[in-house]
Amino acid sequence: MSRHYRLLPAVLLSLYPTLAAAQVLNVAFGESLEPYVMPQQASGIEVEIIREALRAEGLGMQPVFMAQKRLPLALKNPRIDAIATIRPDSGLKAAYSEPYVYYEDVAVTLRSRNLQLREVAELGKYSISAFPLATQYLGAEFARMAANNPRYGETGNQVDQNRLLYRHLIDVVVADQRIFKYMNQRVVSDFREVVQPVSYHLLFEKLPYRVAFRSAALRDRFNRGLATLNGNGLYQQILNRFQYADSVD
């Protein structure tokens, strides 16, 4: 065989990088953030957005799931290339991407109780179950309220928040609205329990989250891939796949 023909595959791979073996990045995700992160399916809103943004740049992704509180420390492991669901104010020194997902945290109460919540400080009168590290993410006023509220607690198993609320064991759940609605599905399917009508109190601003990369060059490629997803409509398609109703009127 001519040496020119032997060289042809290498030439093609250099011209078309997607034909070559893609570089695979190990990306750390929190393990209890359904529907944003769904470890058993290796899927979810965030997993799919990051996977597709990297794919658009010819990169692969291997998700690594860990406890939410361990995420800021994940880059200490040299095998981890990036961390999802993080913000620059976490204190972690890294190459941060553009925002790729927004969480809409709300206070949730039983509609039957007709509680009126207009300010964060008013939460101090009630028993609360919040998501992990909520006091770091929801602002100084929320942190002060939590510090002075002996009935404030956090849980990483967020389906428990819904169950405690419906059993009248807590007054308020603080959670992302998508997560709360998804957990309603699990209350019914996993525990055969009844969900009840709730009220959503919009006390918090939407929070943008970024990917923290070890490498600025990989961060830049992710940003380009994210722009591609927004431009071709795939970003919105991913969000639409993970829409959940309240299950009750």
Side-chain angles (χ1 to χ4, degrees):
M1 179 184 292
S2 165
R3 63 184 297 272
H4 298 293
Y5 286 103
R6 289 197 298 268
L7 289 173
L8 185 57
V11 173
L12 286 173
L13 290 178
S14 68
L15 291 174
Y16 301 99
T18 55
L19 296 178
Q23 179 183 357
V24 177
L25 305 187
N26 292 316
V27 180
F29 293 88
E31 64 185 359
S32 183
L33 288 171
E34 295 99 336
Y36 292 94
V37 180
M38 306 169 80
Q40 291 184 343
Q41 295 90 355
S43 185
I45 295 171
E46 293 190 53
V47 176
E48 296 302 327
I49 289 172
I50 294 174
R51 177 182 285 132
E52 293 303 326
L54 292 173
R55 192 198 307 273
E57 285 292 303
L59 297 167
M61 185 191 78
Q62 176 63 49
V64 179
F65 302 105
M66 60 182 62
Q68 190 73 17
K69 291 185 177 181
R70 289 178 52 205
L71 276 182
L73 305 176
L75 285 183
K76 290 185 176 181
N77 182 341
R79 296 183 178 180
I80 299 297
D81 299 295
I83 303 172
T85 328
I86 199 160
R87 292 164 51 86
D89 56 14
S90 68
L92 175 68
K93 293 183 179 180
Y96 285 89
S97 73
E98 293 296 319
Y100 72 98
V101 72
Y102 290 80
Y103 278 50
E104 187 174 0
D105 295 307
V106 294
V108 188
T109 62
L110 292 176
R111 194 183 302 170
S112 61
R113 296 193 58 188
N114 196 32
L115 297 182
Q116 304 299 315
L117 297 174
R118 297 179 179 85
E119 298 179 354
V120 169
E122 294 176 331
L123 293 171
K125 299 183 292 185
Y126 302 104
S127 57
I128 299 170
S129 178
F131 61 89
L133 304 179
T135 54
Q136 295 184 25
Y137 290 122
L138 296 182
E141 186 178 9
F142 184 85
R144 285 194 298 271
M145 179 282 302
N148 293 310
N149 184 346
R151 296 189 294 165
Y152 174 87
E154 297 178 359
T155 177
N157 188 359
Q158 291 192 245
V159 70
D160 287 345
Q161 293 180 301
N162 298 48
R163 299 179 72 201
L164 289 170
L165 183 68
Y166 297 136
R167 293 178 179 186
H168 296 254
L169 296 176
I170 57 169
D171 300 316
V172 183
V173 165
V174 174
D176 171 80
Q177 193 166 168
R178 278 197 185 97
I179 292 177
F180 184 86
K181 290 180 178 180
Y182 174 82
M183 293 303 170
N184 268 347
Q185 316 299 311
R186 288 194 54 198
V187 167
V188 175
S189 64
D190 296 2
F191 299 97
R192 300 294 189 267
E193 295 176 2
V194 177
V195 300
Q196 301 170 41
V198 297
S199 297
Y200 297 106
H201 307 271
L202 307 181
L203 303 180
F204 313 104
E205 295 181 358
K206 289 185 179 181
L207 288 179
Y209 286 89
R210 304 169 188 257
V211 183
F213 285 88
R214 186 183 300 280
S215 159
L218 290 174
R219 182 270 317 276
D220 293 343
R221 293 179 70 179
F222 173 81
N223 284 343
R224 289 196 296 269
L226 183 62
T228 298
L229 264 59
N230 280 302
N232 63 18
L234 183 53
Y235 184 95
Q236 188 59 49
Q237 290 176 32
I238 292 171
L239 292 182
N240 292 344
R241 282 168 47 197
F242 295 93
Q243 293 288 350
Y244 300 92
D246 275 320
S247 297
V248 292
D249 295 325

